Amino acid sequence: MQFSESWLRQFVNPPINTEELSHLLTMAGLEVEETRAVAPPFSSIVIAEILEATQHPDADRLRVCKVSVGALSTEPLQIVCGAPNARPGIKIPCAMVGALLPPAEEGGKPFAIKVGKLRGVESYGMLCSGRELGLGDDHAGILELPADAPLGQSIREYLNLDDTIFTIKLTPNKADCLSVLGIAREVSALTGAPLETLAIVPIKETCNDTVKVKVEDADLCGRFAGRVIKGVNAKATTPSWMVRRLESAGQRSISALVDISNYVMLEVGQPTHVFDLHKITGDITVRWGKPDESVKLLNGQTIQLKDVILPVGVVADSTGIESLAGVMGGDASAVTLDTTDIYLESAFWWPSAIQGRARALNFSTDAAYRFERGVDPSSTVKYLNYLTQLILQICGGAAGPVSDQVLSLPKRPPVELRVARVAKIVGVEITAQQIAEYFDRLGFAYARKQPGTPQEIFVVEPPAYRFDLSIEEDLIEEITRIYGFENIPEIAPQAALVVKETNEKQRSIHRFRHALAAAGYQEVVNYGFIDQASESQFAGNESAVKVLNPIAEQFAVMRSNLLGSLLNNLKTNVSRKAARVRLFEVGRVFSKDSQVEDSETTTIGNRQTLMMGAIAYGSLFSEQWGQKGINARPVDFFDVKADLENLLAPLTIRTVALTDHPAFHPGRAASIEVQTTVNNQATWQKVGVMGELHPKWQQSLELSSAPVMFEVELAAVSELSLPSTSELSRFPAVKRDLAIVLKSSVPAGEVLSALQAAAPKLVTEIVLFDDFRPTQERPGGMNLDEKSLAFRLTLENLEQTMQDQEVEGVISGILEKVLVQFSARLR
């Protein structure tokens, strides 16, 4: 937002200087990026009039001018000028002898005007163009001034060139400050200076012409107002004061009708549009555009609505589209210098109907920038009358009646503010009386509940132009801005230093992260979003939690496991020639769950589970001289299982065959279970999954070998039992080996679990140390569908040395249960 200080002070004029005003706005959240003078420094340049201009005797492109500077000289000055528009009767800026002009280049020296000779003719000054005064880039001719400009007056004073241009960087929520009037409201609230209102006089309706308007879609346009003005002079000259203000806002003058419309938008924040009435055929319809329609815009661009990714609102007549609603007018109904009759439009377009449209069309407009943030719907007709007033003053004409259709306007529910909450958030005691004063200065309507008590509450009705006020914190921010951020004291927080108790039974997330990093895995951090294809392929989830406004197509849904994200990371690394990859992630996954209720940390109907996952790809060891011959072996299921056992130790885990997971190889995947104790009985709880990637996904990802992955629920493996002591035996331990022959299909883990369950307390350890499978059948030996599992049992007695009979009794008791359970035999 850019404007001149004098324009702002027309509405509010606090007793502070420019520097103080800049600081005030910045500290209130309206960051002043730059302040600069309208024109660079120069001196002794006054208003003059050319009395006569004759051809130079020795130069075709030069003229010898007689110039009057009023009372500053009793005789006209003789000045040689090369400007093509130098002619008698015009008033222009004249640099007197001794004047200093701005330097031609940045960092250069000022240019001094002296008496000189041009082709033998003496010249006593210089007639200046706008560029030579630092007022723009136009140097085709000398700058022409209005006919009523007073001779001899300093050009700086006449054009107010000592004025200051403010450039303000606004945050997206401050749409109410996208106008000079909006900035003035802020300054008035901050300083307490009175706010001058616009002088809008009643419009005398001198013609009865109207245009019938039908608004078909209330979700596009909430209010639409318009009126006809006949007999305007489109060739009228835009007043110099308006041109200067437009230039201070970064707008160039185009024509009177366009300039007035732009001026109203910049001054009060209401974008309007001016149609050539004779180019409108039939009635006007306000509706959503149709895919088969197209329109040529004022910028010369032709838009095919079928190519726009968002629905676009249009203002159309019986022949087609005349403008894109709230974005840009159409070329077909544009006003020109030959226009005599016009139709004015002032509307409230819903922000949601304008947001993203200009960006989708690859350009931006001032109107769309304001409408998509919210424009005051209560002042639509008021500012239409202001636009009409300026057009009648400058261009003349006869105004018709206003047609105003109100369909649906934003409903602004009251916002409650607890006085006690203000002190808690801001950290400063702000009284209810101060709050009431601030709200009065801001123009907020309010009521007070339980006044004078600690439970006092303000019920505030947000003004129609404040779309950013919806919750209690918004009001607290307004109070803080008026109070002054710099007035809040810097008080260091004070708290007692208390050593936090450690929970020995709870492992922190950092212990897992450090353990995986020590095992050679590198941590990755992914978004909680993923594409729908990966979610379907690697989680089998067709009803994922969808993201309402995804930042990209690959982030369309919330992930329900970590595997898809890890595989995307792996693919990225492999595509960059990484041959050996070890990655892990600790993050949340999301699933629908009707049992979850709304709270500070949860969202109703959605479960967020903290998971830990890892992926290993490539050779078991990195390339090194001491591992010759083993580098070629890719990592397998049991390598990763060993990493997982080390990670979860001292918890006891087991793996159970898993065949129905969409991401894993059906014969090389397993559920991860952890042994827990419930009511003094050991039980197994599923905490995750692991396995090799399914061959079809390996092929689609173009991986040379299958990666091995695992994923476990962090909360299920973080809880540990406290360590306990046990007496050391003074007697020697006894070791016995058992070799059991059973069917190959029986998992070794089930046999080991059965041995542990059947063993008495004397058995302190059972270890599987051999898995033998025959390659051919032999008479009296093992069949090809059998295997031999060898276990080593360690027995200890704390009271005496164990005898053979006691040992054999224990072994017999164990075998009696296990051999029957698995239809096995001793080898």
Side-chain angles (χ1 to χ4, degrees):
M1 181 64 193
Q2 187 175 299
F3 57 90
S4 65
E5 184 177 356
S6 61
W7 194 358
L8 175 67
R9 288 186 183 271
Q10 171 189 317
F11 292 100
V12 60
N13 191 17
I16 55 177
N17 59 32
T18 301
E19 184 178 349
E20 291 169 334
L21 177 61
S22 174
H23 176 76
L24 180 75
L25 290 171
T26 298
M27 294 309 298
L30 309 178
E31 181 184 352
V32 178
E33 286 192 308
E34 180 189 23
T35 57
R36 58 180 176 84
V38 172
F42 57 77
S43 62
S44 299
I45 300 178
V46 299
I47 298 173
E49 181 181 3
I50 300 178
L51 301 177
E52 62 178 75
T54 58
Q55 186 66 43
H56 192 288
D58 292 329
D60 294 339
R61 296 186 179 182
L62 297 179
R63 289 180 176 81
V64 179
C65 301
K66 297 294 184 181
V67 178
S68 171
V69 291
L72 297 178
S73 175
T74 56
E75 298 291 333
L77 303 178
Q78 177 176 289
I79 299 176
V80 180
C81 177
N85 63 332
R87 64 187 187 278
I90 64 171
K91 291 185 177 180
I92 38 79
C94 173
M96 309 279 285
V97 174
L100 292 177
L101 291 179
E105 297 179 355
E106 186 176 352
K109 294 182 179 181
F111 180 69
I113 301 299
K114 302 176 182 179
V115 177
K117 279 189 177 183
L118 279 80
R119 294 288 184 95
V121 177
E122 290 187 335
S123 181
Y124 296 88
M126 176 180 174
L127 306 185
C128 303
S129 67
R131 182 177 182 179
E132 290 161 340
L133 298 180
L135 299 179
D137 294 328
D138 184 11
H139 62 96
I142 49 180
L143 179 65
E144 296 187 29
L145 302 173
D148 59 354
L151 291 178
Q153 184 179 8
S154 168
I155 196 70
R156 295 196 72 90
E157 180 182 345
Y158 177 73
L159 295 180
N160 195 19
L161 298 183
D162 290 322
D163 199 0
T164 302
I165 302 296
F166 279 72
T167 302
I168 291 183
K169 181 180 180 181
L170 292 174
T171 52
N173 64 314
K174 293 299 291 177
D176 60 298
C177 291
L178 287 170
S179 65
V180 176
L181 179 59
I183 301 291
R185 275 196 301 256
E186 289 290 299
V187 175
S188 175
L190 293 167
T191 62
L195 179 67
E196 298 294 333
T197 57
L198 280 173
I200 303 178
V201 299
I203 302 299
K204 185 177 180 181
E205 298 172 3
T206 54
C207 78
N208 297 321
D209 292 51
T210 60
V211 174
K212 186 177 179 181
V213 179
K214 180 181 179 182
V215 181
E216 294 184 349
D217 298 300
D219 60 338
L220 167 65
C221 180
R223 186 176 187 180
F224 191 96
R227 77 164 0 129
V228 171
I229 302 181
K230 304 196 73 174
V232 298
N233 177 18
K235 297 179 181 179
T237 302
T238 304
S240 58
W241 61 267
M242 183 177 288
V243 173
R244 290 197 296 271
R245 286 184 174 179
L246 289 172
E247 290 174 346
S248 73
Q251 296 270 2
R252 63 183 181 88
S253 176
I254 299 174
S255 67
L257 292 174
V258 176
D259 290 348
I260 295 169
S261 179
N262 287 337
Y263 178 80
V264 169
M265 176 186 67
L266 294 169
E267 185 168 64
V268 301
Q270 173 68 54
T272 58
H273 190 65
V274 183
F275 296 90
D276 189 319
L277 182 62
H278 293 294
K279 296 177 182 178
I280 298 176
T281 305
D283 300 337
I284 286 178
T285 304
V286 179
R287 56 175 172 79
W288 291 107
K290 302 173 183 178
D292 59 345
E293 293 182 304
S294 63
V295 59
K296 183 178 180 182
L297 300 176
L298 290 173
N299 61 3
Q301 183 177 350
T302 299
I303 302 298
Q304 304 288 339
L305 296 194
K306 65 181 180 180
D307 298 330
V308 184
I309 60 175
L310 295 171
V312 180
V314 300
V315 177
D317 63 7
S318 60
T319 62
I321 299 175
E322 297 299 337
S323 72
L324 295 184
V327 178
M328 183 179 286
D331 182 69
S333 58
V335 294
T336 66
L337 295 180
D338 297 324
T339 297
T340 57
D341 301 333
I342 58 175
Y343 179 74
L344 306 183
E345 168 212 305
S346 178
F348 168 71
W349 307 101
W350 284 99
S352 58
I354 307 300
Q355 288 166 358
R357 271 60 180 187
R359 188 164 57 251
L361 297 171
N362 296 319
F363 61 79
S364 62
T365 65
D366 289 334
Y369 189 80
R370 286 162 173 79
F371 279 126
E372 66 185 1
R373 286 161 174 77
V375 170
D376 181 4
S378 67
S379 300
T380 303
V381 173
K382 174 183 176 182
Y383 295 143
L384 176 65
N385 288 330
Y386 184 47
L387 175 67
T388 304
Q389 174 182 320
L390 292 175
I391 290 176
L392 295 179
Q393 289 176 358
I394 297 169
C395 302
V402 173
S403 171
D404 181 26
Q405 298 183 56
V406 180
L407 293 91
S408 62
L409 299 182
K411 295 181 180 179
R412 308 301 305 280
V415 182
E416 291 192 350
L417 172 74
R418 296 164 289 177
V419 174
R421 181 70 174 169
V422 177
K424 185 175 181 181
I425 296 296
V426 180
V428 175
E429 194 69 34
I430 300 179
T431 65
Q433 189 57 39
Q434 285 178 286
I435 294 174
E437 179 189 346
Y438 295 160
F439 285 166
D440 289 338
R441 285 159 58 176
L442 286 163
F444 294 174
Y446 60 87
R448 298 170 70 168
K449 293 182 179 179
Q450 305 178 41
T453 68
Q455 293 78 35
E456 183 171 357
I457 295 175
F458 281 80
V459 182
V460 179
E461 293 185 10
Y465 53 83
R466 293 299 298 270
F467 284 76
D468 59 321
L469 302 179
S470 58
I471 59 176
E472 185 178 39
E473 285 73 15
D474 295 332
L475 296 177
I476 294 175
E477 180 184 6
E478 292 300 298
I479 293 168
T480 310
R481 290 194 314 112
I482 305 302
Y483 180 84
F485 290 108
E486 71 270 37
N487 295 327
I488 299 174
E490 298 180 6
I491 302 175
Q494 297 180 356
L497 292 176
V498 180
V499 178
K500 186 178 179 181
E501 295 182 359
T502 58
N503 187 351
E504 294 183 66
K505 297 181 65 175
Q506 187 74 28
R507 282 191 285 195
S508 72
I509 184 176
H510 303 295
R511 287 186 60 182
F512 291 111
R513 294 172 61 243
H514 294 163
L516 280 168
Y521 291 80
Q522 291 182 307
E523 184 173 12
V524 294
V525 179
N526 291 303
Y527 286 118
F529 321 118
I530 201 168
D531 60 289
Q532 180 62 63
S534 295
E535 183 65 13
S536 301
Q537 293 169 359
F538 305 127
N541 186 9
E542 300 297 340
S543 59
V545 179
K546 293 184 179 180
V547 180
L548 294 180
N549 187 23
I551 57 178
E553 185 180 354
Q554 61 267 34
F555 302 129
V557 298
M558 306 298 291
R559 62 183 180 183
S560 62
N561 65 23
L562 301 179
L563 304 181
S565 299
L566 289 170
L567 284 166
N568 288 336
N569 298 141
L570 174 63
K571 178 61 178 175
T572 301
N573 281 271
V574 171
S575 66
R576 286 160 177 74
K577 307 302 180 183
R580 184 177 183 274
V581 180
R582 301 287 189 278
L583 302 173
F584 80 92
E585 180 180 9
V586 178
R588 296 195 178 275
V589 300
F590 306 85
S591 58
K592 296 179 180 178
D593 188 344
S594 59
Q595 303 298 319
V596 178
E597 299 180 353
D598 226 355
S599 71
E600 292 184 356
T601 58
T602 60
T603 304
I604 186 170
N606 295 283
R607 183 169 296 281
Q608 306 176 42
T609 308
L610 189 61
M611 304 291 287
M612 174 174 59
I615 187 168
Y617 170 80
S619 59
L620 176 59
F621 296 104
S622 57
E623 190 171 355
Q624 55 180 292
W625 67 270
Q627 295 290 341
K628 293 181 180 178
I630 199 171
N631 292 315
R633 181 172 83 77
V635 65
D636 61 19
F637 178 94
F638 297 102
D639 297 322
V640 176
K641 182 182 178 183
D643 290 338
L644 182 61
E645 288 177 336
N646 292 332
L647 175 67
L648 301 184
L651 294 177
T652 301
I653 71 168
R654 73 176 184 183
T655 52
V656 180
L658 179 67
T659 58
D660 59 351
H661 198 289
F664 293 133
H665 190 302
R668 300 180 183 178
S671 298
I672 303 169
E673 297 185 354
V674 171
Q675 189 177 40
T676 59
T677 302
V678 179
N679 297 328
N680 295 324
Q681 288 195 352
T683 184
W684 293 95
Q685 175 190 358
K686 181 179 177 180
V687 296
V689 292
M690 70 175 297
E692 282 188 8
L693 182 66
H694 198 290
K696 65 178 179 181
W697 306 134
Q698 177 187 340
Q699 183 178 3
S700 67
L701 293 174
E702 300 179 352
L703 302 175
S704 59
S705 61
V708 183
M709 305 175 288
F710 73 78
E711 180 185 47
V712 295
E713 185 178 344
L714 208 59
V717 296
S718 298
E719 194 76 22
L720 299 174
S721 59
L722 291 175
S724 58
T725 60
S726 59
E727 184 181 352
L728 292 175
S729 177
R730 296 174 297 165
F731 306 99
V734 177
K735 296 184 183 293
R736 289 289 188 270
D737 293 344
L738 297 177
I740 302 174
V741 178
L742 68 170
K743 293 295 183 180
S744 298
S745 60
V746 179
E750 291 187 15
V751 181
L752 181 59
S753 297
L755 288 170
Q756 292 171 338
K761 292 184 178 180
L762 292 175
V763 180
T764 58
E765 186 180 32
I766 303 177
V767 178
L768 171 67
F769 67 87
D770 184 48
D771 184 339
F772 172 75
R773 301 168 189 258
T775 57
Q776 61 182 4
E777 289 191 14
R778 295 181 182 177
M782 295 170 55
N783 298 324
L784 291 177
D785 62 347
E786 293 181 327
K787 64 181 178 181
S788 170
L789 299 178
F791 299 91
R792 177 160 296 155
L793 282 68
T794 303
L795 297 86
E796 286 185 338
N797 192 325
L798 300 177
E799 299 177 356
Q800 61 183 9
T801 301
M802 296 190 68
Q803 303 298 318
D804 289 343
Q805 290 180 348
E806 185 181 8
V807 174
E808 294 301 331
V810 172
I811 298 298
S812 298
I814 294 173
L815 289 175
E816 184 178 346
K817 297 177 181 179
V818 175
L819 295 180
V820 173
Q821 180 179 347
F822 295 103
S823 300
R825 66 181 187 276
L826 281 176
R827 184 176 174 187

